[in-house]
Amino acid sequence: GRGLLDAFKRRGVENKRVVVLNDTVACLLAGVCRGSEMKASSYIGFILGTGTNTSYIQSNECITKLDDDSLDRAASQVINVESGNFSAFQRSPIDIELDKKADERRDEALAGLDFQAAQSGKQFFEKCISGEYLGTITLALLHTLAVEHPNTFSKDGTTAVRGI
């Protein structure tokens, strides 16, 4: 934030503070502001759409990872879970089948879901949640229909789909 504060100062803007938050923590803090009016007992920040992530407020006395005296045990803090790299979940049969076909297909557009995705081999859950694979699944579906059920489309439509 120092560079931003220096730029503000050069432009005559002084006495400002810079706080950088990720979207999940900002969501949590917005909930805390609103929830305090309703006397909510706990809060979470949850992002679902561009990926997924969760944050929550944890009592420091429950944080055993830091066993020194660096935490005020009577206080609490925001924990940002960063669940985007979670990959230990059951993948769907469609996902697995398309990945198996990655080496069999000549057309890279129909290669396995993760094969053509950014950071192949990582962040499966986040990619599934965010819709990373929707284009590939849709194209695979259209190709399957064109091959196995050619009357689904007009003759020109079937030819066009097979050519994608």
Side-chain angles (χ1 to χ4, degrees):
R2 173 61 45 209
L4 185 57
L5 288 172
D6 290 344
F8 280 155
K9 190 173 185 176
R10 285 192 303 272
R11 288 170 177 77
V13 178
E14 302 210 26
N15 299 320
K16 296 291 179 183
R17 293 177 60 199
V18 174
V19 177
V20 179
L21 297 174
N22 82 356
D23 56 352
T24 310
V25 173
C27 179
L28 168 71
L29 294 177
V32 169
C33 289
R34 179 73 175 148
S36 63
E37 296 170 10
M38 299 181 293
K39 300 192 185 330
S41 62
S42 60
Y43 309 92
I44 63 167
F46 182 64
I47 298 297
L48 177 66
T50 56
T52 183
N53 197 12
T54 308
S55 63
Y56 65 98
I57 298 174
Q58 179 67 63
S59 168
N60 286 348
E61 67 185 350
C62 295
I63 300 174
T64 59
K65 188 174 185 178
L66 300 173
D67 58 1
D68 58 16
D69 293 331
S70 65
L71 293 178
D72 175 359
R73 295 292 172 187
S76 58
Q77 64 181 292
V78 172
I79 304 293
N80 190 22
V81 178
E82 289 298 341
S83 54
N85 202 23
F86 180 66
S87 294
F89 69 98
Q90 178 124 9
R91 295 168 66 201
S92 76
I94 293 171
D95 181 17
I96 293 166
E97 183 62 26
L98 287 173
D99 274 346
K100 283 181 186 174
K101 291 181 179 181
D103 294 328
E104 299 170 16
R105 304 224 187 219
R106 288 177 277 132
D107 185 351
E108 224 177 75
L110 289 179
L113 294 177
D114 195 55
F115 172 75
Q116 70 164 300
Q119 297 186 18
S120 182
K122 299 177 181 175
Q123 299 177 306
F124 291 120
F125 188 68
E126 188 162 51
K127 290 175 199 171
C128 289
I129 293 295
S130 70
E132 172 91 21
Y133 300 147
L134 291 178
T136 304
I137 291 172
T138 302
L139 186 56
L141 173 64
L142 292 173
H143 272 250
T144 299
L145 288 171
V147 171
E148 296 178 14
H149 305 281
N151 293 328
T152 301
F153 308 106
S154 66
K155 184 177 178 184
D156 291 341
T158 299
T159 302
V161 168
R162 286 181 177 175
I164 297 175

